[in-house]
Amino acid sequence: MDATNILPILKKRLAFLSGGKDRRSGLILTIPLCTEQTSMEELSSTLDYLLGIPSDKCKARGFTVIVDGRKSQWNIVKTVVLMLQNVIPAEVSLVCVVKPDEFWDKKVTHFCFWKEKDRLGFEVILVSANKLTRYIEPCQLTDEFGGSLVYDHIDWVNKRLVFEKFTKESSSLLDELVVINDSEKSSQLDKERPPDCNFLPSLDPETVLQTGHELLSELQQRRFNGAEGGGVAWSPMDDELLAQPQVMKLLDSLREQYTKYQEVCRQRSKRSQLEDIQTKVMQVVNWLEGPGTEQLRTQWGIGDSIRASQALQQKHEEIESQHSEWFAVYVELNQQIAALLSAGDEEDLVELKGLQQQLSDVCYRQASQLESRQNVLQSAHEFHGTAQDLSQQLDGLLGMLCADVAPADGAAIQQTLKHLEEKLKSVDGALVGLREKGQVLMDQMSNQTSWSYGKDVPIDNKDNVDHIQGVMEDMQLRKQRCEDMVDVRRLKMLQMVQLFKCEEDASQAVEWLGELLDALLKTHIRLGDDSQETKVLLEKHKKFVDVAQSTYDYGRQLLQATVVLCQSLRCSTRSSGDTLPRLNRVWKQFTVTTEERVHRLEMACCFHTAAEKVLVQASPDQGDLPVEVEQETYEEVETVGKALLDRLTVPVIFPDGSEQYFGSPGDMASSAEHIRDKMKLVEDRKLTLHEEDEEDEDIEQLPYQQLQYEQIHDQVEELHNDEELQDDQELHDEELQDVDNELQDGEELELENETDT
């Protein structure tokens, strides 16, 4: 009986094997009666199924049946007990009827059990739930009877279904594998009879084995019933109930037959693969030696132009495309043969190596012919392409030489000359490349005769060689004519370049001089913070003027050279007519501006020199006593400073009447502010020297006060040592305090004088 047939009944939990054992190691069968009417037929089916699970050895130890009648009536309990006699009379050792709290009629129940004792064949006792441990250990009882044994009926049913499913599937699969393996063995003995390759197992062996291993793992870990404890809870899926050895035996048999089946499949696959390889090898060899070879026999030309060579290349690509499909088959076959050779089957090694060698020879020979032809066509395409490019370059160069170039400016002439030189250089490089490619193509065609299907076959390449040489000679003649014309054009253009270069440089000299003038007006505005810096600015200004003078002289020399070149080329100048007046005008403006700059720097130098003379001689920081400054020096500082301030407000007047200021108004204001600050500093120094003369007398009295303080201090110390003068101590302390105050006032006065100084 299978669990699937009575699954709804099993889920009702009418009876169950919890996994517990009595003191004789007999299994405990529990029948929990409920308040509802229990179907005796369903209970009988449940007992029949449960009693079919344990082994005969386990059954021989007998069962202890617990009938839980706490929620049922006495007549139902009695019916169940009598039914046990019919279902399992020989296996029952003891029946424990758990009585309810409100017990039935003791006389009736005791009399009935005593009366039926001999006929039943087993002992029936009435016991309360709390006294059930007198007959069974608590660890073997479930929690409903106060025990600690864990039991999950639904989980037990589910695992039971898994076990029965595995048993059924593994037995069926085992039978199928045995039939398949025996059939394959018979076909190997009788080689004339073809094997039946269509017979396959109905179930996946891997899946069945995986299910069995998972089931066995749970059985071995004693987790079927959810008991994770330290071994006290007995699981009904142990080897005594679920026949764990049966699962292991099925797994071992299934693995053995599955291993044989895998070997059978491997042999089948090898035979099928070998036959398929033989067929495909012959297909590849027959096509390459037949249609493939015939296609290459008719392709030897190189074409007479780039378009013709492209057409030949396209045709060859079509041939290669057809060959590539067969080469792909060759690669796949070679990998398959290598895999079979690595397997090490000696009976197939010779045949496989022969097929591999034959296939490789044919494919390599055909691939070499394709590569040789492809190289020739590629070289021919490059040769014709280079020849076409060279012809176009020569046509363009000849067009430039035949056209009359009107001189626009020096840069245009220089660019034209540079472009002409680049064209000629490009033609030289293209001609050299054409010769190299032509030689490479002729070498490849001469070597092509040795690649003709394993034997020498003469190929007539005379027309191709004559065509290549004719093209190279024609290009050489055209290049020589262009070189002669380039030499003539180069001489004239070089003279024109020199002319425009002189004109451009003269204009550039005018621009440079203008930039120097602009820089002089906008950036040369500092007058220096002292006389030393002003002198440095004067030296820099002289160098700046020297640069401007060199620029002016260089411009005049260029204009003179322009006149000479125009006379030589018999052409009028384009820009020198107004260049000379512009050069002279800018130079005059620069001269006026630089004179004004020199005058201002000289005045600033005179001002800083006089001011520094006052500040240095009147300063006590030098370590010596201040030197009296003459009144004329103060007047000179004031006079030159005011004159310089007035000068800063005056603009530069050019010969044409236009005016221009140095720098921005802010820059001039900053310079003027600096001059005023220095003038104020000189004035303050003058006042300070006058005040210092008045304070000298106060400073001379300080040494006398210091001496008086020391004398009084000595007297105070003597008074402290004299006990008789103790009463006068306060008077002396007051005197000492007055002296200290006087000295402190003197020191503060001296400190203030030094601070003012």
Side-chain angles (χ1 to χ4, degrees):
M1 183 183 298
D2 295 335
T4 54
N5 298 332
I6 60 170
L7 183 59
I9 299 175
L10 286 177
K11 290 183 177 180
K12 292 182 179 181
R13 198 171 179 261
L14 300 177
F16 60 89
L17 289 169
S18 64
K21 296 181 182 180
D22 55 18
R23 290 186 173 91
R24 298 168 301 173
S25 297
L27 297 179
I28 298 176
L29 175 63
T30 305
I31 303 176
L33 299 177
C34 56
T35 56
E36 299 178 358
Q37 185 67 28
T38 301
S39 174
M40 293 297 121
E41 183 180 355
E42 292 180 352
L43 179 59
S44 177
S45 299
T46 302
L47 293 176
D48 290 340
Y49 176 76
L50 293 177
L51 294 175
I53 294 176
S55 61
D56 295 337
K57 182 179 179 181
C58 184
K59 292 178 181 180
R61 290 195 290 267
F63 290 89
T64 295
V65 182
I66 300 177
V67 180
D68 188 0
R70 289 176 293 180
K71 297 180 182 180
S72 182
Q73 299 177 0
W74 165 248
N75 57 349
I76 296 176
V77 173
K78 181 179 179 181
T79 303
V80 171
V81 172
L82 293 176
M83 186 183 65
L84 293 175
Q85 180 187 14
N86 299 326
V87 178
I88 48 173
E91 288 81 359
V92 176
S93 300
L94 176 64
V95 176
C96 297
V97 178
V98 181
K99 59 186 179 180
D101 295 336
E102 296 179 359
F103 192 46
W104 308 294
D105 189 351
K106 180 181 296 186
K107 293 182 179 180
V108 175
T109 55
H110 183 270
F111 173 79
C112 290
F113 283 126
W114 176 81
K115 182 178 179 181
E116 300 293 336
K117 180 177 181 181
D118 295 335
R119 186 169 61 85
L120 290 175
F122 49 79
E123 182 182 1
V124 180
I125 60 174
L126 294 175
V127 64
S128 59
N130 57 359
K131 294 182 180 181
L132 192 60
T133 54
R134 295 179 181 180
Y135 307 95
I136 302 172
E137 295 294 335
C139 63
Q140 302 297 328
L141 293 173
T142 58
D143 57 351
E144 55 191 326
F145 300 114
S148 60
L149 180 64
V150 179
Y151 174 74
D152 186 349
H153 185 70
I154 299 301
D155 183 67
W156 182 88
V157 172
N158 293 334
K159 295 300 186 295
R160 185 66 190 177
L161 292 174
V162 173
F163 168 75
E164 292 182 355
K165 180 183 178 182
F166 166 72
T167 304
K168 184 184 296 184
E169 290 181 351
S170 60
S171 300
S172 176
L173 178 61
L174 190 60
D175 295 338
E176 293 177 359
L177 293 178
V178 170
V179 173
I180 295 173
N181 295 336
D182 293 342
S183 176
E184 182 67 21
K185 185 176 181 181
S186 300
S187 64
Q188 290 180 357
L189 296 177
D190 188 4
K191 296 184 179 180
E192 295 181 357
R193 187 183 70 178
D196 186 6
C197 299
N198 297 325
F199 188 26
L200 298 175
S202 58
L203 298 173
D204 182 18
E206 293 288 345
T207 303
V208 177
L209 284 172
Q210 179 66 23
T211 304
H213 285 301
E214 292 176 356
L215 178 60
L216 182 61
S217 176
E218 292 197 14
L219 291 176
Q220 291 173 347
Q221 295 178 8
R222 302 176 64 85
R223 291 187 297 109
F224 179 82
N225 203 30
E228 298 282 351
V232 296
W234 182 84
S235 172
M237 296 301 289
D238 276 348
D239 55 347
E240 295 184 72
L241 292 181
L242 275 185
Q244 179 179 340
Q246 181 183 356
V247 178
M248 297 177 63
K249 183 178 179 181
L250 284 173
L251 286 175
D252 293 340
S253 301
L254 191 59
R255 279 194 293 266
E256 180 182 359
Q257 293 299 325
Y258 182 54
T259 302
K260 294 180 180 179
Y261 173 72
Q262 288 179 323
E263 179 63 22
V264 168
C265 293
R266 192 184 69 82
Q267 293 295 335
R268 288 179 182 178
S269 177
K270 187 181 71 172
R271 285 197 303 268
S272 176
Q273 190 176 9
L274 183 59
E275 293 173 358
D276 184 57
I277 288 174
Q278 290 175 346
T279 303
K280 291 183 179 179
V281 166
M282 295 312 300
Q283 290 177 354
V284 174
V285 171
N286 292 336
W287 190 90
L288 292 178
E289 291 183 345
T293 302
E294 188 62 28
Q295 288 177 352
L296 288 176
R297 288 183 188 275
T298 58
Q299 299 293 323
W300 295 111
I302 62 171
D304 56 356
S305 63
I306 187 171
R307 180 175 299 178
S309 64
Q310 288 176 347
L312 290 174
Q313 276 189 322
Q314 184 176 1
K315 179 62 177 177
H316 184 73
E317 288 176 357
E318 295 175 358
I319 296 175
E320 282 187 335
S321 178
Q322 298 178 11
H323 279 75
S324 62
E325 297 177 359
W326 293 99
F327 287 154
V329 177
Y330 157 71
V331 172
E332 182 180 356
L333 290 174
N334 196 30
Q335 293 177 352
Q336 294 177 2
I337 293 173
L340 292 176
L341 289 174
S342 62
D345 294 334
E346 297 181 359
E347 57 183 9
D348 300 329
L349 288 179
V350 177
E351 183 178 1
L352 288 173
K353 288 183 178 179
L355 290 173
Q356 188 180 39
Q357 187 64 38
Q358 180 184 7
L359 184 63
S360 299
D361 292 342
V362 174
C363 290
Y364 279 124
R365 183 171 64 248
Q366 200 75 357
S368 299
Q369 294 172 2
L370 287 170
E371 184 180 3
S372 177
R373 176 62 180 167
Q374 176 63 30
N375 292 336
V376 171
L377 291 177
Q378 183 65 30
S379 299
H381 182 270
E382 293 177 357
F383 174 78
H384 292 307
T386 304
Q388 182 175 334
D389 293 341
L390 179 57
S391 178
Q392 294 175 355
Q393 292 181 19
L394 289 171
D395 292 340
L397 181 59
L398 183 61
M400 290 181 61
L401 295 173
C402 294
D404 187 12
V405 181
D409 52 29
I413 296 298
Q414 186 69 29
Q415 185 66 25
T416 303
L417 182 60
K418 181 180 179 181
H419 186 55
L420 193 63
E421 295 291 346
E422 291 177 351
K423 283 278 189 180
L424 187 59
K425 184 178 180 180
S426 177
V427 168
D428 290 336
L431 183 59
V432 173
L434 181 66
R435 290 171 180 169
E436 293 176 353
K437 289 179 172 57
Q439 186 62 42
V440 170
L441 180 57
M442 289 187 291
D443 294 339
Q444 289 178 346
M445 289 190 299
S446 63
N447 295 330
Q448 193 177 8
T449 57
S450 61
W451 293 101
S452 183
Y453 315 105
K455 56 183 179 180
D456 294 336
V457 177
I459 299 176
D460 187 8
N461 288 320
K462 184 176 182 303
D463 294 339
N464 294 332
V465 174
D466 292 343
H467 171 71
I468 295 171
Q469 293 177 348
V471 170
M472 292 190 295
E473 292 174 358
D474 179 61
M475 295 298 172
Q476 177 64 36
L477 292 176
R478 292 177 61 185
K479 173 184 174 292
Q480 187 62 43
R481 290 195 297 269
C482 289
E483 284 181 346
D484 296 339
M485 298 178 67
V486 166
D487 293 338
V488 176
R489 177 61 63 89
R490 184 187 295 113
L491 293 176
K492 183 177 180 180
M493 295 183 71
L494 287 175
Q495 289 182 349
M496 296 175 66
V497 167
Q498 292 178 359
L499 170 62
F500 286 104
K501 180 63 176 175
C502 289
E503 293 178 352
E504 292 175 2
D505 291 347
S507 299
Q508 184 65 45
V510 176
E511 293 179 3
W512 287 346
L513 199 57
E515 292 175 357
L516 292 175
L517 174 61
D518 188 62
L520 179 60
L521 289 170
K522 292 182 178 181
T523 61
H524 292 213
I525 56 178
R526 283 184 51 80
L527 299 177
D529 296 336
D530 51 35
S531 60
Q532 186 66 28
E533 184 178 357
T534 304
K535 292 178 182 179
V536 173
L537 291 175
L538 277 170
E539 292 296 328
K540 291 183 178 180
H541 180 72
K542 291 180 181 179
K543 295 179 181 179
F544 184 77
V545 172
D546 293 339
V547 172
Q549 182 68 47
S550 300
T551 304
Y552 173 73
D553 296 340
Y554 175 65
R556 292 188 62 85
Q557 293 174 3
L558 290 174
L559 292 175
Q560 293 175 0
T562 301
V563 175
V564 175
L565 287 173
C566 287
Q567 295 175 354
S568 176
L569 292 172
R570 297 179 182 180
C571 64
S572 60
T573 59
R574 298 177 182 273
S575 59
S576 60
D578 62 342
T579 303
L580 181 60
R582 290 192 299 114
L583 179 64
N584 292 331
R585 182 173 62 256
V586 174
W587 176 247
K588 290 179 181 179
Q589 293 176 352
F590 183 84
T591 303
V592 173
T593 305
T594 189
E595 289 176 355
E596 176 64 21
R597 173 65 176 170
V598 170
H599 186 68
R600 292 186 180 187
L601 287 175
E602 289 176 350
M603 290 180 66
C605 184
C606 181
F607 169 76
H608 288 306
T609 301
E612 290 170 0
K613 182 177 179 182
V614 172
L615 296 176
V616 172
Q617 292 180 356
S619 175
D621 297 337
Q622 304 297 327
D624 299 329
L625 294 176
V627 180
E628 184 177 357
V629 181
E630 298 179 357
Q631 184 65 28
E632 290 78 2
T633 305
Y634 292 109
E635 294 176 355
E636 181 182 0
V637 171
E638 183 177 1
T639 302
V640 176
K642 291 181 178 180
L644 183 57
L645 290 174
D646 295 338
R647 193 79 180 189
L648 292 177
T649 60
V650 178
V652 179
I653 301 176
F654 296 138
D656 58 357
S658 59
E659 298 178 354
Q660 184 68 40
Y661 286 91
F662 277 95
S664 62
D667 297 333
M668 292 296 99
S670 177
S671 300
E673 184 67 22
H674 179 71
I675 295 172
R676 293 190 186 97
D677 292 343
K678 203 159 190 177
M679 293 174 63
K680 186 176 183 303
L681 186 62
V682 171
E683 183 66 23
D684 293 342
R685 182 56 52 86
K686 179 180 178 182
L687 296 176
T688 302
L689 291 176
H690 178 71
E691 294 176 356
E692 288 178 356
D693 292 339
E694 296 178 356
E695 295 173 356
D696 288 342
E697 297 178 359
D698 296 335
I699 296 174
E700 292 176 356
Q701 296 177 2
L702 290 177
Y704 172 77
Q705 294 177 354
Q706 183 68 28
L707 178 60
Q708 184 179 5
Y709 170 78
E710 291 177 356
Q711 293 175 356
I712 295 175
H713 191 283
D714 293 338
Q715 294 176 3
V716 170
E717 288 181 355
E718 292 178 0
L719 290 175
H720 277 294
N721 296 328
D722 192 358
E723 294 180 357
E724 295 178 355
L725 298 179
Q726 185 68 26
D727 296 335
D728 299 334
Q729 183 65 34
E730 294 179 359
L731 180 61
H732 290 286
D733 290 340
E734 292 178 358
E735 294 178 356
L736 181 61
Q737 183 65 31
D738 294 337
V739 174
D740 289 339
N741 292 334
E742 292 178 0
L743 291 176
Q744 186 174 0
D745 294 338
E747 291 176 356
E748 290 178 357
L749 179 60
E750 181 181 1
L751 180 60
E752 290 177 358
N753 294 332
E754 292 178 356
T755 303
D756 294 337
T757 303

